[in-house]
Amino acid sequence: LAIGVDIGGSGVRAARVREGATNGPIVKCGVADRSVASVLSAVEEVVAELGGGADVGVGVGVPGFVRDGTVLRSPNFPEWRDVPFRRLLSDRLRLDGRVEVANDANVAALGAWAARGSRGDLVLLTLGTGVGGGVISGGRLLTGSGGTGAELGHIFVGGDRACGCGGVGCLETWCSTVGLVAAAREVGREVVHGRQVVEAAREGEGWALAVLDGAALALGRGLTTLVNLFNPAVVVLSGGVSQASDLLGPPALAYLRAHGVPPSVDSAEIVWAGRAESFAIVGAAALLSQPEHGWSEGR
Ligand SMILES: [Zn+2]
């Protein structure tokens, strides 16, 4: 038994986790501001509310680049720089059990994998405000030598729209809500949320259908790269934008079938998971079952 904690820009969600599923209620706590102290207090509160005993382990998913428990930077917490979050949280909670901290999308991939019985290689993309990702290969979360690998949202898929990572033409510049809004503005539409683009496309508005077509082509290219690279048993697409599977799915999958390596395409199941908000909580707890520090060791 472990407690999984998902930290987002507006608050913290957590639950007890057993055998790849939440066990009991998901508890939530808002954060007073985006300071490290406020977030630590919120985590402490949810762990206490879940009756975190001294021997319980706590796993935490945090948006941003995380290396060996240290949050290097986070889009949701712009003031954070090299915050040793795992150590600060360990000191705060004073548990005997392990405390682990990792990137939220990496953690969501672990959660999706645990929910599927911890079998088969898995690639996950979270299509939300940004695009995050995670890869499970041979039972291990792939994180690279410094913990910041598997940034699947920042693979090049085309175009020259600037990305927050410093690159151009990243998957994130097309298939995130930020990307949909940027694409809509490029054709003169003043939208503020990606949802508005999806709604306009469902109403048959030409400009919005064109924006979604662009996103679908980008997603098809991204899926092709990922399937060719990792030969996964399953690709899970989650996050708010994945709820537009009716618009994105057919063209993206047609592109994948036309251009991917055939044996890998044939054996990859594509799952549209919608918001799938429990993945990050379940996966955060599953960090404790990964080899100690194996996902973040500098090698
Ligand atoms: Zn990028």
Side-chain angles (χ1 to χ4, degrees):
L1 191 73
I3 290 176
V5 181
D6 176 34
I7 295 178
S10 57
V12 168
R13 304 175 318 121
R16 285 179 163 263
V17 174
R18 193 190 292 275
E19 288 169 6
T22 55
N23 183 258
I26 293 178
V27 301
K28 299 177 187 180
C29 182
V31 288
D33 53 52
R34 299 193 170 196
S35 68
V36 177
S38 292
V39 174
L40 285 170
S41 295
V43 175
E44 187 177 29
E45 193 170 322
V46 294
V47 170
E49 198 174 332
L50 291 166
D55 60 336
V56 77
V58 176
V60 182
V62 185
F65 298 126
V66 182
R67 172 181 296 161
D68 198 20
T70 293
V71 181
L72 305 177
R73 50 172 57 209
S74 166
N76 301 58
F77 305 104
E79 308 289 304
W80 294 24
R81 282 285 185 279
D82 302 327
V83 174
F85 198 80
R86 183 175 65 206
R87 183 174 61 70
L88 294 172
L89 187 62
S90 288
D91 292 351
R92 182 72 83 99
L93 297 176
R94 294 184 299 276
L95 302 174
D96 298 330
R98 270 166 72 190
V99 174
E100 292 298 349
V101 178
N103 168 269
D104 60 348
N106 279 191
V107 156
L110 259 187
W113 187 67
R116 296 178 60 86
S118 304
R119 284 189 304 273
D121 287 6
L122 175 144
V123 171
L124 172 135
L125 287 174
T126 59
L127 311 175
T129 309
V131 174
V135 179
I136 313 291
S137 183
R140 291 286 294 263
L141 184 59
L142 298 187
T143 59
S145 56
T148 54
E151 281 289 345
L152 308 185
H154 303 291
I155 57 175
F156 178 77
V157 292
D160 57 6
R161 197 176 299 135
C163 183
C165 73
V168 293
C170 296
L171 185 58
E172 177 166 302
T173 68
W174 295 94
C175 298
S176 63
T177 60
V178 167
L180 292 178
V181 167
R185 289 182 173 175
E186 283 168 13
V187 294
R189 302 287 162 161
E190 272 310 308
V191 300
V192 295
H193 199 278
R195 237 185 349 257
Q196 295 168 277
V197 182
V198 173
E199 281 162 10
R202 292 217 173 99
E203 284 161 14
E205 292 192 37
W207 68 269
L209 287 166
V211 168
L212 266 296
D213 276 350
L217 172 62
L219 183 60
R221 287 174 172 165
L223 286 173
T224 300
T225 295
L226 296 172
V227 166
N228 289 355
L229 271 178
F230 297 112
N231 182 23
V234 58
V235 180
V236 178
L237 301 163
S238 68
V241 176
S242 81
Q243 291 173 312
S245 58
D246 54 328
L247 296 162
L248 295 174
L253 297 186
Y255 186 95
L256 172 63
R257 280 192 294 271
H259 300 290
V261 169
S264 297
V265 172
D266 293 344
S267 61
E269 182 189 353
I270 311 292
V271 174
W272 299 82
R275 289 195 172 271
E277 288 174 330
S278 67
F279 282 168
I281 292 175
V282 170
L287 283 173
L288 305 169
S289 322
Q290 285 280 297
E292 190 145 14
H293 302 160
W295 57 87
S296 54
E297 233 167 46
R299 273 186 292 265

PDB file of all heavy atoms in Angstrom, residues 118-141:
ATOM      1  N   SER A 118       0.599  -4.248 -15.558  1.00  0.00           N
ATOM      2  CA  SER A 118       2.070  -4.187 -15.637  1.00  0.00           C
ATOM      3  C   SER A 118       2.640  -5.173 -16.642  1.00  0.00           C
ATOM      4  O   SER A 118       3.599  -5.891 -16.364  1.00  0.00           O
ATOM      5  CB  SER A 118       2.694  -4.429 -14.243  1.00  0.00           C
ATOM      6  OG  SER A 118       2.179  -3.507 -13.316  1.00  0.00           O
ATOM      7  N   ARG A 119       2.018  -5.211 -17.818  1.00  0.00           N
ATOM      8  CA  ARG A 119       2.494  -6.111 -18.882  1.00  0.00           C
ATOM      9  C   ARG A 119       2.658  -5.339 -20.185  1.00  0.00           C
ATOM     10  O   ARG A 119       1.847  -4.480 -20.494  1.00  0.00           O
ATOM     11  CB  ARG A 119       1.481  -7.245 -19.102  1.00  0.00           C
ATOM     12  CG  ARG A 119       1.503  -8.334 -18.056  1.00  0.00           C
ATOM     13  CD  ARG A 119       0.618  -9.513 -18.507  1.00  0.00           C
ATOM     14  NE  ARG A 119      -0.741  -9.072 -18.781  1.00  0.00           N
ATOM     15  CZ  ARG A 119      -1.702  -8.982 -17.854  1.00  0.00           C
ATOM     16  NH1 ARG A 119      -1.449  -9.314 -16.612  1.00  0.00           N
ATOM     17  NH2 ARG A 119      -2.911  -8.567 -18.171  1.00  0.00           N
ATOM     18  N   GLY A 120       3.660  -5.696 -20.948  1.00  0.00           N
ATOM     19  CA  GLY A 120       3.848  -5.139 -22.278  1.00  0.00           C
ATOM     20  C   GLY A 120       4.478  -3.753 -22.243  1.00  0.00           C
ATOM     21  O   GLY A 120       4.339  -3.026 -21.270  1.00  0.00           O
ATOM     22  N   ASP A 121       5.194  -3.419 -23.315  1.00  0.00           N
ATOM     23  CA  ASP A 121       5.779  -2.079 -23.391  1.00  0.00           C
ATOM     24  C   ASP A 121       4.683  -1.074 -23.707  1.00  0.00           C
ATOM     25  O   ASP A 121       3.766  -1.353 -24.478  1.00  0.00           O
ATOM     26  CB  ASP A 121       6.863  -2.033 -24.472  1.00  0.00           C
ATOM     27  CG  ASP A 121       8.124  -2.770 -24.035  1.00  0.00           C
ATOM     28  OD1 ASP A 121       8.098  -3.408 -22.962  1.00  0.00           O
ATOM     29  OD2 ASP A 121       9.118  -2.713 -24.770  1.00  0.00           O
ATOM     30  N   LEU A 122       4.796   0.100 -23.117  1.00  0.00           N
ATOM     31  CA  LEU A 122       3.727   1.101 -23.219  1.00  0.00           C
ATOM     32  C   LEU A 122       4.316   2.484 -23.463  1.00  0.00           C
ATOM     33  O   LEU A 122       5.347   2.841 -22.897  1.00  0.00           O
ATOM     34  CB  LEU A 122       2.907   1.088 -21.924  1.00  0.00           C
ATOM     35  CG  LEU A 122       1.797   2.119 -21.744  1.00  0.00           C
ATOM     36  CD1 LEU A 122       0.619   1.506 -20.983  1.00  0.00           C
ATOM     37  CD2 LEU A 122       2.283   3.373 -21.019  1.00  0.00           C
ATOM     38  N   VAL A 123       3.638   3.230 -24.336  1.00  0.00           N
ATOM     39  CA  VAL A 123       3.951   4.638 -24.548  1.00  0.00           C
ATOM     40  C   VAL A 123       2.699   5.431 -24.205  1.00  0.00           C
ATOM     41  O   VAL A 123       1.595   5.040 -24.599  1.00  0.00           O
ATOM     42  CB  VAL A 123       4.370   4.911 -26.012  1.00  0.00           C
ATOM     43  CG1 VAL A 123       4.474   6.403 -26.280  1.00  0.00           C
ATOM     44  CG2 VAL A 123       5.698   4.228 -26.335  1.00  0.00           C
ATOM     45  N   LEU A 124       2.852   6.495 -23.447  1.00  0.00           N
ATOM     46  CA  LEU A 124       1.705   7.339 -23.120  1.00  0.00           C
ATOM     47  C   LEU A 124       1.993   8.776 -23.546  1.00  0.00           C
ATOM     48  O   LEU A 124       3.113   9.265 -23.396  1.00  0.00           O
ATOM     49  CB  LEU A 124       1.421   7.291 -21.614  1.00  0.00           C
ATOM     50  CG  LEU A 124       0.363   8.283 -21.101  1.00  0.00           C
ATOM     51  CD1 LEU A 124      -0.604   7.601 -20.134  1.00  0.00           C
ATOM     52  CD2 LEU A 124       1.015   9.478 -20.425  1.00  0.00           C
ATOM     53  N   LEU A 125       0.968   9.406 -24.133  1.00  0.00           N
ATOM     54  CA  LEU A 125       1.020  10.843 -24.417  1.00  0.00           C
ATOM     55  C   LEU A 125      -0.110  11.508 -23.662  1.00  0.00           C
ATOM     56  O   LEU A 125      -1.260  11.058 -23.748  1.00  0.00           O
ATOM     57  CB  LEU A 125       0.822  11.112 -25.915  1.00  0.00           C
ATOM     58  CG  LEU A 125       1.948  10.768 -26.882  1.00  0.00           C
ATOM     59  CD1 LEU A 125       1.454  10.975 -28.322  1.00  0.00           C
ATOM     60  CD2 LEU A 125       3.167  11.651 -26.625  1.00  0.00           C
ATOM     61  N   THR A 126       0.181  12.541 -22.900  1.00  0.00           N
ATOM     62  CA  THR A 126      -0.869  13.350 -22.288  1.00  0.00           C
ATOM     63  C   THR A 126      -1.032  14.600 -23.132  1.00  0.00           C
ATOM     64  O   THR A 126      -0.125  15.427 -23.225  1.00  0.00           O
ATOM     65  CB  THR A 126      -0.517  13.773 -20.852  1.00  0.00           C
ATOM     66  OG1 THR A 126       0.699  14.515 -20.864  1.00  0.00           O
ATOM     67  CG2 THR A 126      -0.357  12.569 -19.948  1.00  0.00           C
ATOM     68  N   LEU A 127      -2.196  14.718 -23.773  1.00  0.00           N
ATOM     69  CA  LEU A 127      -2.469  15.863 -24.629  1.00  0.00           C
ATOM     70  C   LEU A 127      -3.299  16.854 -23.817  1.00  0.00           C
ATOM     71  O   LEU A 127      -4.526  16.786 -23.796  1.00  0.00           O
ATOM     72  CB  LEU A 127      -3.238  15.425 -25.886  1.00  0.00           C
ATOM     73  CG  LEU A 127      -2.652  14.220 -26.652  1.00  0.00           C
ATOM     74  CD1 LEU A 127      -3.578  13.823 -27.801  1.00  0.00           C
ATOM     75  CD2 LEU A 127      -1.254  14.531 -27.182  1.00  0.00           C
ATOM     76  N   GLY A 128      -2.629  17.729 -23.103  1.00  0.00           N
ATOM     77  CA  GLY A 128      -3.318  18.686 -22.237  1.00  0.00           C
ATOM     78  C   GLY A 128      -2.905  20.106 -22.573  1.00  0.00           C
ATOM     79  O   GLY A 128      -2.786  20.444 -23.754  1.00  0.00           O
ATOM     80  N   THR A 129      -2.658  20.914 -21.559  1.00  0.00           N
ATOM     81  CA  THR A 129      -2.170  22.277 -21.777  1.00  0.00           C
ATOM     82  C   THR A 129      -0.882  22.220 -22.594  1.00  0.00           C
ATOM     83  O   THR A 129      -0.674  23.000 -23.511  1.00  0.00           O
ATOM     84  CB  THR A 129      -1.887  22.958 -20.426  1.00  0.00           C
ATOM     85  OG1 THR A 129      -3.037  22.795 -19.601  1.00  0.00           O
ATOM     86  CG2 THR A 129      -1.594  24.425 -20.609  1.00  0.00           C
ATOM     87  N   GLY A 130      -0.037  21.270 -22.235  1.00  0.00           N
ATOM     88  CA  GLY A 130       1.135  20.936 -23.040  1.00  0.00           C
ATOM     89  C   GLY A 130       0.995  19.482 -23.469  1.00  0.00           C
ATOM     90  O   GLY A 130      -0.068  18.889 -23.325  1.00  0.00           O
ATOM     91  N   VAL A 131       2.066  18.904 -24.013  1.00  0.00           N
ATOM     92  CA  VAL A 131       2.063  17.472 -24.314  1.00  0.00           C
ATOM     93  C   VAL A 131       3.199  16.830 -23.525  1.00  0.00           C
ATOM     94  O   VAL A 131       4.371  17.191 -23.692  1.00  0.00           O
ATOM     95  CB  VAL A 131       2.241  17.196 -25.820  1.00  0.00           C
ATOM     96  CG1 VAL A 131       2.389  15.699 -26.071  1.00  0.00           C
ATOM     97  CG2 VAL A 131       1.046  17.737 -26.600  1.00  0.00           C
ATOM     98  N   GLY A 132       2.826  15.914 -22.635  1.00  0.00           N
ATOM     99  CA  GLY A 132       3.825  15.163 -21.888  1.00  0.00           C
ATOM    100  C   GLY A 132       3.840  13.728 -22.361  1.00  0.00           C
ATOM    101  O   GLY A 132       2.997  13.314 -23.167  1.00  0.00           O
ATOM    102  N   GLY A 133       4.782  12.957 -21.874  1.00  0.00           N
ATOM    103  CA  GLY A 133       4.827  11.568 -22.300  1.00  0.00           C
ATOM    104  C   GLY A 133       5.641  10.715 -21.365  1.00  0.00           C
ATOM    105  O   GLY A 133       6.329  11.207 -20.460  1.00  0.00           O
ATOM    106  N   GLY A 134       5.510   9.429 -21.578  1.00  0.00           N
ATOM    107  CA  GLY A 134       6.293   8.483 -20.814  1.00  0.00           C
ATOM    108  C   GLY A 134       6.407   7.182 -21.578  1.00  0.00           C
ATOM    109  O   GLY A 134       5.554   6.852 -22.406  1.00  0.00           O
ATOM    110  N   VAL A 135       7.484   6.461 -21.334  1.00  0.00           N
ATOM    111  CA  VAL A 135       7.745   5.188 -22.010  1.00  0.00           C
ATOM    112  C   VAL A 135       8.081   4.138 -20.962  1.00  0.00           C
ATOM    113  O   VAL A 135       8.971   4.363 -20.126  1.00  0.00           O
ATOM    114  CB  VAL A 135       8.929   5.309 -22.997  1.00  0.00           C
ATOM    115  CG1 VAL A 135       9.208   3.972 -23.667  1.00  0.00           C
ATOM    116  CG2 VAL A 135       8.675   6.393 -24.027  1.00  0.00           C
ATOM    117  N   ILE A 136       7.374   3.012 -21.012  1.00  0.00           N
ATOM    118  CA  ILE A 136       7.744   1.866 -20.195  1.00  0.00           C
ATOM    119  C   ILE A 136       8.279   0.807 -21.147  1.00  0.00           C
ATOM    120  O   ILE A 136       7.580   0.368 -22.062  1.00  0.00           O
ATOM    121  CB  ILE A 136       6.535   1.265 -19.437  1.00  0.00           C
ATOM    122  CG1 ILE A 136       5.697   2.341 -18.749  1.00  0.00           C
ATOM    123  CG2 ILE A 136       7.004   0.181 -18.457  1.00  0.00           C
ATOM    124  CD1 ILE A 136       6.343   3.020 -17.600  1.00  0.00           C
ATOM    125  N   SER A 137       9.525   0.434 -20.964  1.00  0.00           N
ATOM    126  CA  SER A 137      10.159  -0.558 -21.829  1.00  0.00           C
ATOM    127  C   SER A 137      10.799  -1.625 -20.951  1.00  0.00           C
ATOM    128  O   SER A 137      11.590  -1.309 -20.064  1.00  0.00           O
ATOM    129  CB  SER A 137      11.222   0.125 -22.706  1.00  0.00           C
ATOM    130  OG  SER A 137      11.798  -0.808 -23.593  1.00  0.00           O
ATOM    131  N   GLY A 138      10.402  -2.871 -21.171  1.00  0.00           N
ATOM    132  CA  GLY A 138      10.964  -3.947 -20.362  1.00  0.00           C
ATOM    133  C   GLY A 138      10.689  -3.776 -18.880  1.00  0.00           C
ATOM    134  O   GLY A 138      11.495  -4.184 -18.040  1.00  0.00           O
ATOM    135  N   GLY A 139       9.569  -3.166 -18.530  1.00  0.00           N
ATOM    136  CA  GLY A 139       9.187  -3.019 -17.128  1.00  0.00           C
ATOM    137  C   GLY A 139       9.807  -1.830 -16.437  1.00  0.00           C
ATOM    138  O   GLY A 139       9.590  -1.626 -15.240  1.00  0.00           O
ATOM    139  N   ARG A 140      10.579  -1.039 -17.176  1.00  0.00           N
ATOM    140  CA  ARG A 140      11.238   0.125 -16.587  1.00  0.00           C
ATOM    141  C   ARG A 140      10.735   1.396 -17.241  1.00  0.00           C
ATOM    142  O   ARG A 140      10.513   1.442 -18.457  1.00  0.00           O
ATOM    143  CB  ARG A 140      12.764   0.036 -16.816  1.00  0.00           C
ATOM    144  CG  ARG A 140      13.454  -1.048 -16.049  1.00  0.00           C
ATOM    145  CD  ARG A 140      13.597  -0.718 -14.584  1.00  0.00           C
ATOM    146  NE  ARG A 140      14.486   0.409 -14.355  1.00  0.00           N
ATOM    147  CZ  ARG A 140      15.777   0.290 -14.039  1.00  0.00           C
ATOM    148  NH1 ARG A 140      16.341  -0.886 -13.949  1.00  0.00           N
ATOM    149  NH2 ARG A 140      16.505   1.368 -13.821  1.00  0.00           N
ATOM    150  N   LEU A 141      10.594   2.424 -16.405  1.00  0.00           N
ATOM    151  CA  LEU A 141      10.312   3.752 -16.912  1.00  0.00           C
ATOM    152  C   LEU A 141      11.600   4.318 -17.509  1.00  0.00           C
ATOM    153  O   LEU A 141      12.631   4.373 -16.839  1.00  0.00           O
ATOM    154  CB  LEU A 141       9.844   4.607 -15.735  1.00  0.00           C
ATOM    155  CG  LEU A 141       9.384   6.037 -15.993  1.00  0.00           C
ATOM    156  CD1 LEU A 141       8.223   6.079 -16.969  1.00  0.00           C
ATOM    157  CD2 LEU A 141       8.999   6.674 -14.666  1.00  0.00           C
TER     158      LEU A 141
END
